Amino acid sequence: MVQKYVYGTPFETEAVTARIDGAKGAPIYGEVSLDDGFCFICALGEDDVVYGLGEANRGINKRGFCYVSDCTDTPHHTEDLRSFYGAHNFIVVSGSRTFGLFVDYPSKLTFDIGFTCMDKLSITCERADLYLYVIDGETPYDIVKQFRRMIGRSYIPPKFAFGFGQSRWGYRTKEDFREVAGGYRKNHIPIDMIYMDIDYMEDYKDFTLNEENFADFPAFVREMKEQQIRLIPIIDAGVKIEEGYEVYEEGVKNGYFCKREDGSDFVAAVWPGYTHFPDVLNPEARRWFGDKYKLLTDQGIEGFWNDMNEPAIFYTPEGVKETGRKVQEFFKDPEGDISKMEVDALVEGLANNKKDYASFYHRVNGQRVRHDKVHNLFGYNMTRAAGEAFERIDPEKRFLMFSRSSYVGMHRYGGIWMGDNMSWWSHILLNLRMLPSLNMCGFLYTGADLGGFNADASRDLLLRWMAFGVFTPLMRNHSAMGTRDQECFRFEHVEDFRHIVEVRYRLLPYLYSEYMKAALEDDMYAKPLAFVYPRDAHAGQVEDQLMLGDEIMIAPVYTQNAKGRYVYLPEEMKFVKFMPDGSICQETLPAGHHYVDIALNEVPLFIRKGKCIPVTEAAEYVEALDTTDMEMIGYPGSTYILYEDDGIHKDYDNPANRKILKA
């Protein structure tokens, strides 16, 4: 059961698609105070567990820390970080009382979950203009399913998007892309996509191409497709200010950019230098910006990734002027005792400054809305612009689309990647823990930069991360300019990388099937063990293993130099290892705690008692997979319902898409 409480005059985010009438009275699970903004407070029992918050730090159980929904561009994903790129205001409290809360509020919102006071949950924000949804259910899993039905069907990508992709900031020319494609094809490592970061553009201008490096781009797209590789370009939020640049001139002429208070177009620097931001909260401007994607789809492009859409701000003219004035004051007195920290703080404070976010406006339903009041909706609506445009460009075709910044509701238009992580072992675990939390909020198509974006990846870290990435819907190796080249073929014993990526393709019919079931049935693709084994106290404590689909459990290795790891089995399971010679090793293990050996070039999984999964022969790209004669592994006599469609169109409910396979 869902109850909706209305406070003040909420901004209509369109996160919730179901019609839910407002309830009277006060929420039964806590107390609400409107004395100073909005504050919801409730007690937490000693053993209560708190799930949710999507793209958030630390554990699957969010208890014991403070989290802030405030979409933020930050590459420093350390344990003390309170805000990530997305804002996903949904939690489930499980224990003495079990209920869910969704706070539909588009600005900064703080979840203090036993941080200030260990037995108290508080949710606070500056203004009491919001919708509060309270969801009753028997279990956390039931509550999540109710929430998923409230917010609408999750985005469904084309099937090729489940293949492996390679990316790097720094691919500048056709030859760079040819080298990467050749490295994978020569070494017979499966690949379906190569991503184009900002260097493919002319001076970092959206919807342009560097004509010197990418002359006759449609022919180059065809050249890559002849190798069964799709190019996936990036689109950034800022539109460069430049006379003669068509997108800029159209936006200015038609008033499609965000405005300053005086009505002039807001100016902020990002990669191209000074830019304007498209007013994607304005439906007319959103349609205009979305239609620009056609400039690239007309040239054969079938997928995109949206970036810098928190929106990120490097600096503004006003910020530079103010900082310059203060720095000059500091250095007027050469004998003055000015600390380095003060100077550093001034310069660092130029980026993503709160004053800048409070100094520009959107136009919504004829009303002017200050950006900081709706800040968390920008990335959502930029990706929505693309999703709505794809419906106009080719309504029957699926396009690949994922974004860095997001809010609940964007899950209907695209997936997300988990942002600019590091080549750290701890970030494998962070990746794993975010996956089910994002699924709870509707984001099924997601994954992290395998190997880490920043810093230098070691061979063993990349192998372990790739072995986990086999199971994430988005499987992409991505790294930053200036870091070690980390394409799979760059490392010694390339056969180990080939084997791990081949396992992804061998399992792809199963992984795709489980993704589609989760999307079509408003379910989760990856779940905490506690959701499947709610009466098992030990399962509730496990945060480094996940249930995937209805058949398997995964337990990746995320520790340097480890030869294996400890696992907890809530029931008897088959321990399965995909061996480097192509064989599959299966061993039945009883319920309980076990240490299992897992070599660097092995991919492990566990199959639940009475279940089975299909495995096919590897292929070098998705369209070459043969699913007509698959091997069934797991428990003899068990059955599996395979979902399989053409992976391109939207005939999702065709009964022919499902067939029963038997082990």
Side-chain angles (χ1 to χ4, degrees):
M1 183 179 73
V2 181
Q3 292 181 302
K4 174 183 177 181
Y5 298 90
V6 183
Y7 298 95
T9 307
F11 185 88
E12 298 296 336
T13 69
E14 300 180 66
V16 174
T17 58
R19 178 173 177 176
I20 301 169
D21 294 330
K24 295 182 179 180
I28 62 173
Y29 291 111
E31 297 180 359
V32 172
S33 170
L34 306 179
D35 293 338
D36 184 18
F38 174 86
C39 180
F40 173 93
I41 296 178
C42 74
L44 291 174
E46 183 177 353
D47 297 322
D48 285 358
V49 174
V50 181
Y51 299 103
L53 293 183
E55 189 182 40
N57 212 346
R58 301 202 178 195
I60 293 174
N61 180 0
K62 295 300 188 291
R63 188 160 180 177
F65 194 55
C66 189
Y67 309 86
V68 180
S69 287
D70 187 26
C71 296
T72 304
D73 168 26
T74 174
H76 306 296
H77 302 176
T78 51
E79 278 197 36
D80 60 335
L81 186 63
R82 297 189 179 192
S83 300
F84 275 77
Y85 308 96
H88 309 130
N89 306 334
F90 171 62
I91 61 171
V92 180
V93 178
S94 174
S96 52
R97 300 174 299 173
T98 298
F99 60 95
L101 298 170
F102 174 53
V103 186
D104 192 3
Y105 180 75
S107 189
K108 182 178 177 181
L109 183 70
T110 300
F111 291 81
D112 186 329
I113 308 178
F115 178 70
T116 301
C117 183
M118 62 185 296
D119 62 354
K120 188 176 295 182
L121 161 69
S122 69
I123 305 173
T124 56
C125 57
E126 185 180 75
R127 293 175 296 113
D129 295 312
L130 55 85
Y131 295 114
L132 173 66
Y133 295 86
V134 181
I135 309 171
D136 275 311
E138 295 183 2
T139 66
Y141 193 14
D142 171 50
I143 289 169
V144 168
K145 288 181 177 179
Q146 290 187 62
F147 179 63
R148 294 285 306 284
R149 289 192 290 271
M150 285 169 50
I151 61 176
R153 177 177 288 177
S154 294
Y155 161 75
I156 296 175
K159 196 170 187 177
F160 74 77
F162 292 84
F164 174 66
Q166 179 62 57
S167 184
R168 182 172 174 85
W169 174 24
Y171 298 157
R172 296 179 182 275
T173 67
K174 290 180 182 178
E175 289 308 312
D176 291 336
F177 289 90
R178 287 171 177 144
E179 180 187 2
V180 174
Y184 277 95
R185 290 292 181 238
K186 178 182 176 182
N187 288 284
H188 302 289
I189 304 171
I191 188 169
D192 271 85
M193 294 157 287
I194 301 178
Y195 290 82
M196 307 182 79
D197 212 316
I198 55 177
D199 294 304
Y200 80 90
M201 303 179 196
E202 177 190 343
D203 299 328
Y204 306 135
K205 292 183 291 189
D206 280 342
F207 311 112
T208 68
L209 293 150
N210 184 308
E211 291 298 333
E212 180 180 349
N213 294 335
F214 293 98
D216 197 0
F217 187 63
F220 183 57
V221 173
R222 290 194 299 272
E223 176 189 326
M224 289 291 104
K225 283 188 181 179
E226 286 169 3
Q227 300 180 57
Q228 302 299 323
I229 292 173
R230 288 172 168 87
L231 297 173
I232 311 295
I234 197 170
I235 302 294
D236 279 354
V239 172
K240 182 176 175 61
I241 298 171
E242 182 180 285
E243 296 298 327
Y245 170 34
E246 183 179 13
V247 179
Y248 161 74
E249 292 188 339
E250 283 185 6
V252 170
K253 177 182 177 182
N254 294 291
Y256 290 151
F257 294 126
C258 295
K259 306 292 185 183
R260 294 187 177 106
E261 189 171 11
D262 64 6
S264 63
D265 291 327
F266 176 71
V267 177
V270 204
W271 293 116
Y274 281 128
T275 68
H276 295 323
F277 292 143
D279 186 3
V280 289
L281 272 67
N282 176 344
E284 185 180 346
R286 185 167 65 240
R287 182 184 182 97
W288 164 77
F289 190 78
D291 284 344
K292 294 302 174 186
Y293 287 80
K294 192 173 187 294
L295 295 170
L296 290 165
T297 61
D298 282 350
Q299 299 182 68
I301 293 299
E302 298 176 73
F304 301 87
W305 47 310
N306 284 345
D307 195 13
M308 307 298 289
N309 53 353
E310 291 71 34
I313 294 176
F314 292 171
Y315 53 86
T316 61
E318 295 84 357
V320 169
K321 183 177 180 180
E322 176 69 8
T323 299
R325 182 185 63 78
K326 289 183 177 179
V327 169
Q328 283 183 332
E329 288 179 1
F330 277 151
F331 288 102
K332 278 181 181 177
D333 180 5
E335 304 299 325
D337 184 19
I338 306 301
S339 74
K340 178 181 182 298
M341 290 178 62
E342 289 177 290
V343 177
D344 287 349
L346 273 176
V347 177
E348 291 173 4
L350 282 169
N352 305 318
N353 190 290
K354 295 186 184 303
K355 286 185 179 179
D356 292 331
Y357 288 128
S359 66
F360 68 95
Y361 295 80
H362 300 272
R363 195 76 177 173
V364 183
N365 297 325
Q367 301 296 313
R368 195 173 69 166
V369 180
R370 205 172 81 187
H371 172 80
D372 62 332
K373 306 299 185 185
V374 290
H375 172 70
N376 293 335
L377 301 182
F378 193 93
Y380 160 18
N381 281 280
M382 179 184 172
T383 298
R384 178 181 178 178
E388 291 173 340
F390 297 152
E391 289 293 321
R392 297 189 292 272
I393 292 167
D394 191 339
E396 298 304 316
K397 180 179 178 178
R398 303 181 224 171
F399 289 82
L400 171 58
M401 168 53 70
F402 58 93
S403 169
R404 191 170 74 175
S405 183
S406 59
Y407 183 84
V408 173
M410 200 205 82
H411 71 285
R412 300 190 296 269
Y413 301 98
I416 68 167
W417 91 99
M418 298 176 188
D420 296 345
N421 58 4
M422 302 288 288
S423 297
W424 295 347
W425 290 92
S426 61
H427 279 185
I428 303 179
L429 184 58
L430 181 60
N431 179 182
L432 181 146
R433 288 170 166 170
M434 275 191 189
L435 192 59
S437 299
L438 283 164
N439 276 203
M440 293 177 205
C441 298
F443 293 92
L444 299 184
Y445 189 76
T446 183
D449 291 341
L450 302 178
F453 178 71
N454 288 302
D456 293 328
S458 63
R459 180 179 183 274
D460 59 339
L461 179 141
L462 182 56
L463 282 167
R464 291 300 195 194
W465 213 331
M466 295 278 288
F468 169 48
V470 162
F471 301 100
T472 60
L474 169 60
M475 185 185 186
R476 182 178 75 150
N477 178 328
H478 183 42
S479 57
M481 184 188 302
T483 64
R484 177 184 189 176
D485 291 340
Q486 66 182 46
E487 294 88 356
C488 294
F489 59 85
R490 307 283 190 189
F491 294 87
E492 60 193 294
H493 297 295
V494 70
E495 65 273 11
D496 291 341
F497 291 92
R498 180 190 310 120
H499 164 63
I500 287 177
V501 181
E502 283 181 344
V503 173
R504 165 64 166 218
Y505 283 71
R506 296 184 72 183
L507 287 170
L508 200 144
Y510 171 73
L511 301 175
Y512 179 76
S513 178
E514 290 307 301
Y515 183 96
M516 293 300 295
K517 292 175 191 175
L520 297 174
E521 297 165 15
D522 297 321
D523 205 338
M524 296 173 67
Y525 169 84
K527 300 177 280 289
L529 269 63
F531 279 29
V532 178
Y533 304 99
R535 294 181 178 83
D536 187 326
H538 291 294
Q541 295 297 308
V542 176
E543 293 224 341
D544 60 355
Q545 302 167 206
L546 296 176
M547 307 306 298
L548 196 152
D550 193 40
E551 288 75 25
I552 72 173
M553 182 182 78
I554 59 172
V557 177
Y558 54 89
T559 308
Q560 183 174 329
N561 297 320
K563 304 293 185 183
R565 58 160 292 169
Y566 285 95
V567 296
Y568 174 68
L569 306 187
E571 61 178 325
E572 177 192 298
M573 292 186 183
K574 293 269 189 184
F575 175 42
V576 177
K577 288 197 293 186
F578 289 80
M579 309 301 286
D581 63 0
S583 63
I584 301 175
C585 177
Q586 300 186 59
E587 176 187 2
T588 302
L589 298 177
H593 296 274
H594 301 270
Y595 182 86
V596 292
D597 293 309
I598 305 167
L600 269 175
N601 55 6
E602 297 172 354
V603 179
L605 60 84
F606 297 82
I607 299 179
R608 297 177 64 190
K609 186 176 182 180
K611 306 285 187 179
C612 64
I613 65 171
V615 177
T616 189
E617 291 298 316
E620 292 194 26
Y621 52 94
V622 168
E623 290 178 10
L625 288 170
D626 182 1
T627 60
T628 58
D629 186 22
M630 293 188 289
E631 176 184 2
M632 303 300 294
I633 63 172
Y635 285 84
S638 56
T639 59
Y640 176 72
I641 299 176
L642 178 74
Y643 181 98
E644 186 176 36
D645 57 20
D646 68 5
I648 301 169
H649 299 101
K650 300 177 181 179
D651 186 19
Y652 303 131
D653 299 319
N654 188 335
N657 293 341
R658 297 176 188 253
K659 57 184 176 182
I660 299 175
L661 306 178
K662 187 171 183 178

